[in-house]
Amino acid sequence: MGNAVSAYGSYLNMVALNVFVYEVTDSALAAGLFMTVRLMTSVVSGFVSGRLVSAYDRKRLMVGADLTQCLAMVALLIAPEAGRAGLLYVLAVVTGFCSTLSGVALRSSIPEIVGGELRVRANSLLATGRSLAMIAGFASAGVIVAKLGYVAAISLDAASFAVSASVLLALPIRTKAAASQATESQEPQEADKDGGRRARRRQAGSLLLLRAAPVLAVMIAVRAADGLGSSSHNVALPVYSSALDPSHPATFVSQFWATWAIGNIVMQQVCGRWAGRGGRQGPGERAFAIGACVMSAAFIVVFAGLPTGVAVVAALVAGMADGLTEIAYVSRLQAAPDAQRGRLFGLSASVENTGFGLGMLLSGALLDHFRPLQVVGLLHGLAIVLCLGMFVVMVRYGRRDRPAPETAPERDVPPVESEAR
């Protein structure tokens, strides 16, 4: 619930702050630069976040990230009007870094908070909360800004981060494996002497883990391609909707996202209830690959010029497939040993944000010359090609079962779970 409240503030922030930047600067270029700074910060902070969550207490990092964002919002509110323009870009850096850090820390902590056998159910609950928060945040942002103003919207955003931090502080959760916590609590002299050596071994272990688990490496590459595809349909939707009904350009966009959200939430709940029954472990690599293919194909169908009813059904399928791939992907990364998990999620965050950012630029440029169907088909088609490549890798390596022991020496390359699930 705390994460959902924080996510609501973040989605409210996306709408309110972007419009607020334009109001303060009266420049579309400045508004675009604000979004670029925030996205680039998220890309860079993924690598930094991976190191931080591997070295420090993750609960403290999450609380610190929430409180920092809360204080940044308060600082924006009390700043004089003349200084707000420059402060907005500082805020873009702060929110981009802290949101990435908090997400990496939480995802890498789930197996320790609830236990590995319940991680799929936990992921489905978190994903459902974020989806509902997205709907509520986007739906209420315009109303709050119009009726109450920017001060109320930014204050509500700050309060959401304060609530999330308070929930984390109140819960007696363990966010790291016992071995990692023992390492952190050793004597300062010993930590100074061996800290650099351990950090180098963990970094090498993460890279060797990807080499030992080629399917996992390809999954991360597919997520980058998904970022490209996601940016294409995000950019193309307003263009396509305007062409469908010039007098009501927002109608199809609203229908699309509402239907997508319904499918997404339904599939997240199905995965959460299905996992753990009868010894089931939840969706694995095959489900991820199939879901990614179906999702990309469904997004392409949405822009194929078919009747609205068919397009809406395709959006529902895309949402369900998106929910499946999200849970399968996060749960698979969480199967990695705790010492490498933080760096994997940090790498994943950087890769996904890079794909999305490049896709936004590429899609915008291509839409000046090509139809939405061609642009979406090209970028989502790339994701389908990578998924087919993933099937090839799974055929080659899928029968090599490497069960991961509960504990392994830090200097060794950690085994991974079977990639043929």
Side-chain angles (χ1 to χ4, degrees), residues 18-43:
N18 289 340
V19 179
F20 183 66
V21 171
Y22 184 76
E23 291 281 337
V24 171
T25 62
D26 194 27
S27 169
L29 177 62
L33 183 59
F34 175 84
M35 298 175 66
T36 301
V37 169
R38 178 168 179 166
L39 182 60
M40 291 303 298
T41 302
S42 298
V43 171

Side-chain angles (χ1 to χ4, degrees), residues 174-415:
R174 186 185 75 182
T175 58
K176 272 198 171 184
S180 299
Q181 290 181 327
T183 300
E184 286 181 358
S185 62
Q186 64 181 326
E187 294 298 323
Q189 294 87 349
E190 185 181 349
D192 292 339
K193 180 179 178 181
D194 297 334
R197 190 184 310 167
R198 286 196 310 272
R200 287 191 295 272
R201 284 202 299 262
R202 280 194 295 266
Q203 185 174 14
S206 300
L207 296 175
L208 291 173
L209 176 63
L210 290 178
R211 290 183 61 184
V215 174
L216 182 58
V218 176
M219 288 177 76
I220 294 176
V222 170
R223 290 292 285 188
D226 281 345
L228 283 170
S230 295
S231 62
S232 71
H233 66 249
N234 274 277
V235 175
L237 264 174
V239 178
Y240 184 71
S241 184
S242 296
L244 286 178
D245 189 354
S247 60
H248 300 90
T251 300
F252 183 75
V253 176
S254 301
Q255 291 173 341
F256 173 87
W257 285 120
T259 309
W260 175 91
I262 292 171
N264 194 262
I265 293 171
V266 168
M267 180 55 70
Q268 289 159 1
Q269 289 299 303
V270 169
C271 288
R273 295 177 183 275
W274 182 79
R277 294 184 178 181
R280 301 187 185 104
Q281 296 300 312
E285 293 90 349
R286 289 195 184 97
F288 170 82
I290 294 171
C293 283
V294 172
M295 176 180 65
S296 292
F299 277 127
I300 294 172
V301 171
V302 168
F303 293 88
L306 299 173
T308 302
V310 177
V312 169
V313 171
L316 180 68
V317 173
M320 296 180 70
D322 202 354
L324 174 65
T325 55
E326 169 72 11
I327 293 176
Y329 178 73
V330 172
S331 300
R332 179 61 187 86
L333 262 62
Q334 288 170 348
D338 185 66
Q340 280 75 41
R341 197 182 301 139
R343 291 181 183 272
L344 284 177
F345 275 107
L347 172 64
S348 175
S350 293
V351 165
E352 292 179 62
N353 286 321
T354 299
F356 190 80
L358 290 176
M360 293 287 282
L361 295 174
L362 185 59
S363 300
L366 290 176
L367 282 169
D368 286 337
H369 305 283
F370 301 98
R371 294 185 296 114
L373 175 61
Q374 294 172 313
V375 176
V376 174
L378 173 65
L379 297 186
H380 271 296
L382 176 60
I384 293 176
V385 170
L386 280 178
C387 286
L388 296 178
M390 181 176 170
F391 280 117
V392 173
V393 175
M394 290 173 64
V395 169
R396 183 175 179 182
Y397 294 96
R399 296 180 181 178
R400 300 182 183 182
D401 294 341
R402 292 180 292 273
E406 293 184 2
T407 59
E410 197 175 39
R411 63 179 179 275
D412 296 333
V413 180

Side-chain angles (χ1 to χ4, degrees), residues 85-103:
L87 187 59
L88 283 168
Y89 296 102
V90 176
L91 183 65
V93 173
V94 170
T95 55
F97 176 80
C98 290
S99 61
T100 302
L101 174 61
S102 182

